[in-house]
Amino acid sequence: MAVLPATPPNIARAAGVLRNGGVVAFPTETVYGLGANAFDPRAAARVFEIKQRPCFDPLIVHVLDRAMLGRVVAEVPDDAERLIERFWPGALTLVLRKRPAVPDLVTAGSATVAVRMPSHPIARALLASTELPLAAPSANPFGYLSPTRAVHVERLLGASIDLILDGGPSEHGLESTIVALEPRPALLRAGAVDVESIEAEIGTLARGLEGQATTIAPGQAGQHYAPRTPLRLIDLAAVPAGQRARAGALAFREPVEGYAALAVLSPSGDLREAAAYLFETLHDLDSRGLERIDVEPVPERGLGLAIMERLRRAAGK
Ligand code: TXA
Ligand code: MG
């Protein structure tokens, strides 16, 4: 394993690893991904193995452009066209009917495939250099916090990955929003593109997963996005002083007194900024040997929805 700066020669080297069935961690604008050739079931199997991810939880396939999308999906319905036009390249994943070339392992046996076109220049250079769609879940062990920096990947999975490309911190710090189009448009996971902007394009999205093409909810399997330190969602002002000394606090805007460690997500109350620092801050708090992490809820509008979805799962609710 090597962590390499994402220079053109190192990107070319990573592309070679991927073409030979290897696994490469690379930066995207959302979080770091753990990539493999999406057409190679053996390479995809290694991704599941490295993440210790159950095989019923399908992967997201990353494409460079419309031509590459055409190799992965069988058709693009009108609503999907509208969303692609507005949000790609970017942090929106669409669940579309797959082509037979996409192995069952990648989609967990579903007839649909989750696909997105990343905007991150290094992710794009890697896709261009491999000329292959890349199946890439977030580069974290199953159930743990997602990685927003190369060093997170190195710490968590370093020993088992062929190569890690370091492209600096991820811009959004939160995974893509996932939308399914059939049988009707539905939000499968809140994420870095806020739901309101998607609904402005194609109308109201169904919430929840009933009647969707897959029975798998992203992150449905128990606790998810969770640090190893126990985490609870709580009004920080209401926590008695005696419960603070060995715990950490993650506040939204205002600092609080008496905790062993404290982080404030966004003093100005900017939910985009809060989202960008969420995982990074939790990685840090989780490394401090705290007894517990108390997290203050954020308002559930815009990216606040995605933040709260992750925090509830991290708290095991
Ligand atoms: O921002 C992101 O989306 C990052 C970066 C690397 O692109 N990737 C990511 O992948 O978050 P992952 O594997 O951690 O989450 C993908 C989620 C899974 O929870 C899975 O259940 C859902 O997407 N998914 C994948 N294929 C699906 C399908 N055919 N139908 C419904 N959900 C699907
Ligand atoms: Mg993930």
Side-chain angles (χ1 to χ4, degrees):
M1 188 274 306
V3 184
L4 301 175
T7 57
N10 288 337
I11 291 170
R13 182 168 153 190
V17 169
L18 288 164
R19 276 194 300 268
N20 286 318
V23 173
V24 170
F26 62 95
T28 84
E29 68 276 23
T30 58
V31 299
Y32 273 70
L34 188 63
N37 173 1
F39 293 139
D40 179 350
R42 287 180 59 180
R46 276 198 63 206
V47 171
F48 281 96
E49 199 184 322
I50 292 169
K51 276 190 66 109
Q52 297 184 309
R53 177 170 176 134
C55 290
F56 57 74
D57 197 4
L59 309 179
I60 293 179
V61 174
H62 298 67
V63 297
L64 177 65
D65 51 20
R66 289 298 294 246
M68 201 180 271
L69 178 69
R71 292 161 65 192
V72 174
V73 309
E75 59 176 341
V76 180
D78 289 345
D79 279 345
E81 277 296 346
R82 247 173 253 141
L83 295 178
I84 287 172
E85 186 66 31
R86 168 91 158 77
F87 296 106
W88 280 12
L92 175 69
T93 295
L94 298 173
V95 175
L96 299 171
R97 222 175 274 281
K98 82 174 186 83
R99 279 194 182 278
V102 181
D104 280 340
L105 180 62
V106 169
T107 64
S110 169
T112 60
V113 59
V115 60
R116 84 176 182 98
M117 189 187 288
S119 64
H120 196 292
I122 293 162
R124 299 189 60 76
L126 187 62
L127 286 162
S129 185
T130 52
E131 299 180 324
L132 288 166
L134 297 177
S138 50
N140 53 317
F142 185 69
Y144 192 66
L145 302 168
S146 295
T148 60
R149 291 174 181 268
V151 65
H152 298 156
V153 185
E154 186 184 11
R155 251 188 250 144
L156 297 167
L157 300 174
S160 41
I161 305 178
D162 298 317
L163 197 155
I164 300 171
L165 282 177
D166 186 351
S170 294
E171 177 196 339
H172 298 302
L174 205 65
E175 299 84 351
S176 61
T177 304
I178 306 182
V179 169
L181 281 311
E182 289 168 41
R184 68 210 151 97
L187 177 70
L188 301 191
R189 176 175 77 185
V193 172
D194 61 90
V195 184
E196 293 89 337
S197 336
I198 297 169
E199 292 188 327
E201 289 296 322
I202 61 166
T204 305
L205 297 173
R207 310 290 161 105
L209 297 139
E210 275 184 58
Q212 288 307 309
T214 173
T215 53
I216 310 299
Q220 200 181 37
Q223 240 190 3
H224 220 75
Y225 309 110
R228 302 199 208 290
T229 314
L231 177 152
R232 66 177 182 183
L233 270 166
I234 191 161
D235 174 12
L236 295 177
V239 177
Q243 285 184 22
R244 299 186 182 194
R246 288 201 300 275
L250 182 55
F252 176 40
R253 304 185 63 160
E254 303 279 342
V256 283
E257 303 284 317
Y259 277 94
L262 167 72
V264 179
L265 282 178
S266 174
S268 67
D270 177 353
L271 289 163
R272 185 161 291 278
E273 180 180 46
Y277 291 123
L278 176 71
F279 283 132
E280 164 151 11
T281 311
L282 286 172
H283 276 283
D284 177 53
L285 289 172
D286 199 27
S287 70
R288 291 169 181 251
L290 299 161
E291 175 179 287
R292 190 182 71 246
I293 303 171
D294 287 346
V295 184
E296 178 173 48
V298 304
E300 289 195 62
R301 58 183 151 72
L303 291 196
L305 188 69
I307 294 174
M308 286 302 290
E309 186 178 291
R310 280 157 188 74
L311 288 173
R312 285 203 186 90
R313 294 231 166 94
K317 281 178 197 146

